[in-house]
Amino acid sequence: MSHDHSIDPKNMPKDPSKATTEGKYKFMGLWIFLGGETVLFACLFGTYLALKDSAAGGPTTQELYGMGLVFLMTILLLTSSLTSVYAIYHMKNNDFKKMQLWMGITALLGIGFLACEIYEFAHYIHEFGFTFRSSAFGSAFYTLVGFHGGHVVFGLSWIIALMVRNSKRGLNLYNAPKYNTFALYWHFIDVVWVFIFTVVYLMGMVS
Amino acid sequence: MSMTSAQKSGFGATLWDWLTTVDHKKIGILYLAGGGFFFLLGGLEAVIIRIQLISPENNFISAGLYNEMITMHGTTMIFLAAMPILLGLMNFIMPLQIGARDVAFPFLNSLGFWLFLFGGLLLNLSWFTGAPDAGWTNYAPLSIQSPGHGIDFYVMGLQLSGAGTLMGGINFIVTIVLMRAPGMTYMRMPLFTWTTFVASILILFAFPALTVGLFLMMFDRMFGSAFFDAALGGNAVIWQHLFWIFGHPEVYILILPVFGVFSEVFPTFAKKRLFGYTAMVFATFLIAFLGFMVWAHHMFTVGLGPVANSIFAVATMAIAVPTGIKIFNWLFTLWGGSIKINSAMLWSLAFIPSFTIGGMTGVMLASAVADYQYHDTYFVIGHFHYVIVGGTVFGILAGLHYWWPKMFGRYLNEVLGQISFWTFFIGFHLTFFIQHFLGLMGMPRRYWVFLENQGLDTGNLISSIGAFFMSFGVIVFLINIIYTTIKGKKAPGDAWGSGRTLEWTISSPPVHYNFKQLPLVRGLDPLWIEKMEGNEKMTPAEPVDEIHMPNGSILPFIMTIGFTIASYGFIYQTGNKYWLIAVFAGMAIALICMLIRSLKDDHGHHISKEELERVGD
Ligand code: HEM
Ligand SMILES: [Cu+2]
């Protein structure tokens, strides 16, 4: 019996994602990993700040950035963080269907964000000739924002794989931690974006 | 279940067992073997360097090959020898010291090892087509302009092995925080566990800086970005910052774990508890914290300005304080103890003066104004070899002699051990002490030849002779390993009779689940406490019950192969876009493995109560 990971609905653990030791390890492991990720992004931010004015005759931050699209992207990603909170709330109530639904909405918002980002990059390249290779500023911009975008892609693949894999078998103590760690990762991506929004776009538009 | 696989014998089964193992002890041994292999390779490179410098204007190897030799020597020793060997000791010993049956993420542990190994092999493949030649620090713009693919191998090889190290760090942190045995509070943890913990934190926060630096280097060299290209507004100093933000914490990643080793060896062979345990823990944290504040002392001559130089100089000197605290604590531990001298103890005792010299030259270098004279001379080479060889390598050898009976069930031979100690110790000082003076006389580092009649001949000759002594010591150590494996004396659980910590409470070598029953820890040095109360064994903290263990897996190995193929593709796609096929194929292999790992349930297996009772202790 002790090897069984299914949840007994009458005897629900308070938080199924942390009811097993593996679940606890995973959750803490991801927290620690995010500590390392913070340094990673800090270095990318540092590089960007050092090079943002090195446009080498190409478009500058003020000429490039516009508010509309970036604001929309921020709203999309912030909302997706909120919907993932709903999903985890339903997980704790052992309501698998609702959890899947809200995770699905989270993924859709993430895809929306990504579409906007691709459009944005294409726009810069075609309208401004602003590329990864055109200046040190270009390299730093696409690397910082692109690394974040890459994290979004990874997160989306992760949650979609989880949702498909578990769609038929419901919630149990084995997969609950996986959803939970995903949610934590997703919040982190969101926080990084808030910094990109401020440091790259807002500061880039004023300075 | 688990026993059947061990009973199957034959080469194939054994190989499969090692390829798929997730046992922290076996992974520890793999790390030791892999790191040991690269240590020999790096040592060979060092000897070649010293032969080239044995006499003025020597022609043993060409200038280009010399550059490759110094680059590969430094890179190999730091990333592929010293660090993996330390990770091996940590992997094997730390879980035993906290009374755990495995690490928190056994799968990740195995992946980390394979990434290190294949990263190292990839880097060394470059020998066939031209190795990296811009120094282990790989400064831009030199590295950007270096022709051929050498630097690309450096970038991809270190990226792979660095990712592996990061995984190891995260794994150890979670293990120490969440898997300590009942009663093992933080302030009862052995010092080696503490330093493993703090070194892991350093890995966690330092390696991402290297990751970013390597990515920028990769983008500039392979995809035409302009981070370090002044013509397009780039800035080569960014590389130096990123490298040293990683690089200085890295030297503490190398030294802190061996501080832990010495803190185990001295109490055991002085039969006294460690002097100033709390101060030792505190000093470890202080060193780690300060270690992140001093990176620019490697960049005093770059021109960051007097304010920055002064701040970094003062911060650097401050590190000498906690380090000094440690030195005195070790001396006080020895003071009045009933001291037993053996190889492990000799390496530890030799460490104290050797490392202190390195610390003193460090403080000299930390004086920014004086560093304009020392920088990029043999003085710096003298400094860091005193700390890395006199500290890290001595510590590794002390740790190997100390824990060898625990790891392999046999004692290393004392006679051979002392021969290799004395030759290596004398050789070490012959090689590096004189280099301080060569440096002060103006001999620059990384030069292929030096000129005649400049007062440098004798010094270099002595230095090269020292290198032969060191090589002799290493060879005797290898013979010792072979001899011990065949004929070594068998060791009991408490191999030295005066063990204090939990690893000495279980058999040598330990069973694969380590502890049949988790021990109840009643204070610092738990085994010593039981001994003082006349108990032969630890009090168990739980009844004998079935034990849950993780399953082995081949996925980490295959995943690593995938990443390696992709890295190879990245290196060569600059010349021929067909190599992109390798990139995509390799990535696909790795991603499929990840997907399988994520989607296929793996609940581990259980060792039944009956089986445990049959095996006995
Ligand atoms: C009291 C402690 C220490 C101080 C004050 C110190 C200071 C310094 C300074 C100022 C430099 C730069 C010299 C130059 O390039 O001009 C340096 C270089 C170096 N130190 Fe230390 N150090 C200390 C301990 C250590 C330790 C414990 C290690 C390693 C285990 C270490 C490894 C190195 C290495 C590898 C370099 C040379 C890097 C290179 O340029 O290739 N140091 N040290
Ligand atoms: Cu340093």
Side-chain angles (χ1 to χ4, degrees):
Chain A
M1 203 40 218
S2 64
H3 317 167
D4 188 3
H5 282 85
S6 61
I7 298 179
D8 169 11
K10 280 188 220 85
N11 210 346
M12 260 285 289
K14 233 206 231 118
D15 181 352
S17 67
K18 283 182 225 142
T20 60
T21 47
E22 286 86 356
K24 279 188 206 127
Y25 296 169
K26 276 204 181 114
F27 195 64
M28 174 165 182
L30 195 81
W31 263 112
I32 306 285
F33 172 69
L34 293 182
E37 289 264 87
T38 306
V39 177
L40 183 111
F41 277 104
C43 292
L44 289 171
F45 273 106
T47 308
Y48 172 81
L49 288 177
L51 296 177
K52 73 178 168 38
D53 299 320
S54 305
T60 62
T61 53
Q62 282 108 318
E63 292 160 12
L64 220 48
Y65 302 151
M67 198 61 202
L69 186 66
V70 180
F71 189 69
L72 175 65
M73 287 163 76
T74 309
I75 296 295
L76 285 175
L77 210 58
L78 284 179
T79 315
S80 80
S81 222
L82 184 68
T83 53
S84 75
V85 172
Y86 286 155
I88 296 301
Y89 168 80
H90 289 301
M91 177 183 83
K92 290 184 182 167
N93 287 333
N94 200 13
D95 189 340
F96 179 68
K97 287 237 168 60
K98 284 212 178 105
M99 180 187 83
Q100 288 280 86
L101 175 69
W102 283 106
M103 280 299 183
I105 296 175
T106 305
L108 283 179
L109 289 168
I111 292 171
F113 170 87
L114 211 59
C116 293
E117 184 151 89
I118 292 170
Y119 170 80
E120 184 204 2
F121 284 6
H123 178 71
Y124 290 161
I125 293 168
H126 293 128
E127 304 294 313
F128 293 89
F130 175 70
T131 72
F132 185 58
R133 300 174 180 191
S134 56
S135 67
F137 164 46
S139 306
F141 170 81
Y142 285 109
T143 303
L144 171 58
V145 182
F147 257 77
H148 176 268
H151 277 71
V152 173
V153 173
F154 182 80
L156 285 174
S157 327
W158 184 1
I159 189 59
I160 291 169
L162 269 184
M163 287 175 57
V164 172
R165 169 68 179 101
N166 294 306
S167 60
K168 292 252 162 55
R169 61 180 185 169
L171 195 65
N172 58 40
L173 295 184
Y174 182 75
N175 60 24
K178 298 191 176 199
Y179 281 96
N180 202 31
T181 40
F182 162 77
L184 178 58
Y185 175 83
W186 196 253
H187 291 320
F188 175 77
I189 296 178
D190 198 33
V191 172
V192 173
W193 177 260
V194 172
F195 278 93
I196 293 184
F197 179 65
T198 331
V199 173
V200 176
Y201 293 102
L202 287 187
M203 280 167 59
M205 276 181 261
V206 293
S207 70
Chain B
M1 252 294 283
S2 61
M3 283 290 145
T4 47
S5 62
Q7 274 157 8
K8 257 189 256 157
S9 56
F11 179 73
T14 313
L15 184 69
W16 181 255
D17 184 37
W18 285 95
L19 289 180
T20 58
T21 188
V22 293
D23 179 348
H24 72 96
K25 297 180 291 302
K26 285 191 175 157
I27 292 175
I29 292 173
L30 285 172
Y31 265 115
L32 292 180
F37 167 73
F38 287 118
F39 181 76
L40 296 180
L41 214 56
L44 190 68
E45 286 151 8
V47 170
I48 293 173
I49 294 171
R50 276 325 312 173
I51 294 178
Q52 167 63 20
L53 294 180
I54 201 167
S55 60
E57 293 182 77
N58 198 0
N59 240 327
F60 179 63
I61 54 175
S62 70
L65 186 56
Y66 183 82
N67 288 346
E68 297 179 9
M69 211 54 83
I70 54 150
T71 303
M72 288 299 280
H73 165 70
T75 313
T76 303
M77 283 305 198
I78 300 247
F79 292 98
L80 309 178
M83 235 185 358
I85 294 177
L86 292 173
L87 286 174
L89 285 177
M90 293 172 177
N91 242 314
F92 200 111
I93 301 300
M94 179 274 287
L96 304 182
Q97 285 196 328
I98 61 171
R101 294 201 169 103
D102 208 322
V103 289
F105 306 112
F107 181 91
L108 218 57
N109 203 13
S110 143
L111 181 59
F113 166 75
W114 293 113
L115 282 173
F116 140 66
L117 185 71
F118 278 79
L121 292 177
L122 181 71
L123 177 58
N124 275 282
L125 271 184
S126 68
W127 276 121
F128 296 106
T129 49
D133 56 1
W136 84 280
T137 51
N138 202 47
Y139 276 13
L142 183 62
S143 48
I144 296 296
Q145 268 144 29
S146 166
H149 286 298
I151 306 289
D152 303 331
F153 276 98
Y154 172 99
V155 168
M156 301 314 294
L158 290 193
Q159 200 67 285
L160 282 185
S161 71
T165 307
L166 190 59
M167 288 173 192
I170 294 174
N171 198 356
F172 291 152
I173 295 177
V174 179
T175 305
I176 293 174
V177 172
L178 294 180
M179 296 180 75
R180 284 166 289 127
M184 178 62 83
T185 60
Y186 279 106
M187 289 313 273
R188 289 175 181 176
M189 292 192 325
L191 242 283
F192 182 68
T193 297
W194 264 119
T195 54
T196 299
F197 184 59
V198 176
S200 301
I201 296 176
L202 286 177
I203 289 176
L204 175 70
F205 291 125
F207 266 76
L210 178 70
T211 308
V212 171
L214 290 173
F215 267 121
L216 305 190
M217 181 67 62
M218 172 180 172
F219 293 164
D220 264 22
R221 280 190 59 98
M222 299 180 195
F223 303 113
S225 63
F227 291 103
F228 310 124
D229 180 358
L232 288 174
N235 183 346
V237 179
I238 290 174
W239 167 266
Q240 293 191 27
H241 278 295
L242 290 174
F243 186 86
W244 289 117
I245 287 173
F246 148 77
H248 189 82
E250 166 69 12
V251 307
Y252 288 101
I253 294 167
L254 293 178
I255 203 69
L256 289 179
V258 303
F259 283 178
V261 173
F262 299 125
S263 303
E264 306 292 323
V265 172
F266 286 136
T268 303
F269 296 116
K271 290 206 180 171
K272 259 182 79 193
R273 65 176 284 184
L274 184 71
F275 187 91
Y277 172 88
T278 318
M280 287 299 232
V281 174
F282 188 68
T284 309
F285 271 98
L286 203 57
I287 293 176
F289 177 73
L290 289 174
F292 276 104
M293 310 284 178
V294 298
W295 79 88
H297 67 211
H298 297 273
M299 302 165 65
F300 282 149
T301 58
V302 169
L304 302 178
V307 176
N309 274 7
S310 310
I311 292 172
F312 279 100
V314 173
T316 303
M317 290 176 195
I319 296 196
V321 178
T323 316
I325 293 177
K326 284 188 169 262
I327 299 276
F328 282 110
N329 279 340
W330 288 314
L331 293 177
F332 288 140
T333 305
L334 293 168
W335 189 280
S338 64
I339 293 176
K340 182 171 149 207
I341 301 282
N342 55 23
S343 307
M345 197 59 170
L346 281 173
W347 286 111
S348 308
L349 291 170
F351 148 82
I352 292 181
S354 310
F355 183 81
T356 305
I357 295 174
M360 272 159 27
T361 54
V363 176
M364 291 171 71
L365 288 165
S367 164
V369 275
D371 186 60
Y372 274 80
Q373 181 68 28
Y374 309 138
H375 183 63
D376 264 349
T377 70
Y378 262 78
F379 190 85
V380 176
I381 308 287
H383 157 68
F384 71 71
H385 283 92
Y386 263 80
V387 279
I388 294 186
V389 181
T392 308
V393 176
F394 283 19
I396 285 171
L397 285 159
L400 286 177
H401 281 87
Y402 180 58
W403 281 309
W404 199 273
K406 180 50 60 192
M407 294 191 287
F408 300 101
R410 288 167 190 271
Y411 295 96
L412 282 170
N413 182 280
E414 257 314 300
V415 177
L416 290 173
Q418 302 209 5
I419 295 176
S420 71
F421 166 75
W422 284 109
T423 43
F424 192 94
F425 176 70
I426 293 169
F428 161 67
H429 285 282
L430 272 184
T431 309
F432 294 111
F433 194 69
I434 196 87
Q435 290 186 359
H436 295 110
F437 299 97
L438 291 172
L440 292 177
M441 288 191 275
M443 180 168 161
R445 68 190 281 201
R446 293 180 173 162
Y447 275 42
W448 169 52
V449 287
F450 59 93
L451 297 180
E452 234 171 335
N453 297 327
Q454 305 214 318
L456 304 175
D457 306 15
T458 323
N460 276 297
L461 178 64
I462 294 175
S463 187
S464 295
I465 293 173
F468 298 133
F469 272 79
M470 290 170 81
S471 316
F472 182 81
V474 172
I475 291 168
V476 175
F477 182 63
L478 288 182
I479 296 173
N480 196 353
I481 291 177
I482 297 168
Y483 177 85
T484 302
T485 310
I486 301 169
K487 292 185 116 162
K489 198 171 116 217
K490 289 233 164 69
D494 184 9
W496 303 107
S498 53
R500 313 173 73 86
T501 40
L502 287 182
E503 75 267 33
W504 305 112
T505 64
I506 52 178
S507 61
S508 302
V511 287
H512 85 281
Y513 44 84
N514 298 349
F515 297 90
K516 185 169 152 190
Q517 292 165 285
L518 292 184
L520 180 67
V521 176
R522 298 196 292 144
L524 184 62
D525 293 340
L527 176 58
W528 193 256
I529 292 180
E530 303 295 336
K531 284 178 183 171
M532 287 302 109
E533 296 187 0
N535 303 332
E536 308 221 315
K537 274 201 236 159
M538 297 297 297
T539 320
E542 58 177 15
V544 178
D545 200 355
E546 58 174 17
I547 294 174
H548 178 237
M549 295 299 288
N551 286 336
S553 170
I554 191 69
L555 288 177
F557 182 74
I558 300 178
M559 211 187 279
T560 306
I561 303 252
F563 281 126
T564 312
I565 294 173
S567 304
Y568 208 81
F570 270 121
I571 294 172
Y572 282 103
Q573 54 78 33
T574 50
N576 182 343
K577 289 296 162 202
Y578 280 115
W579 277 100
L580 283 174
I581 298 173
V583 173
F584 290 120
M587 282 300 184
I589 294 174
L591 285 175
I592 289 170
C593 288
M594 274 187 225
L595 210 61
I596 297 176
R597 170 67 186 167
S598 168
L599 302 187
K600 193 171 157 293
D601 289 2
D602 178 2
H603 295 294
H605 62 270
H606 286 80
I607 301 167
S608 68
K609 209 166 148 181
E610 295 72 46
E611 195 178 317
L612 286 170
E613 263 148 15
R614 199 170 55 237
V615 177
D617 277 308

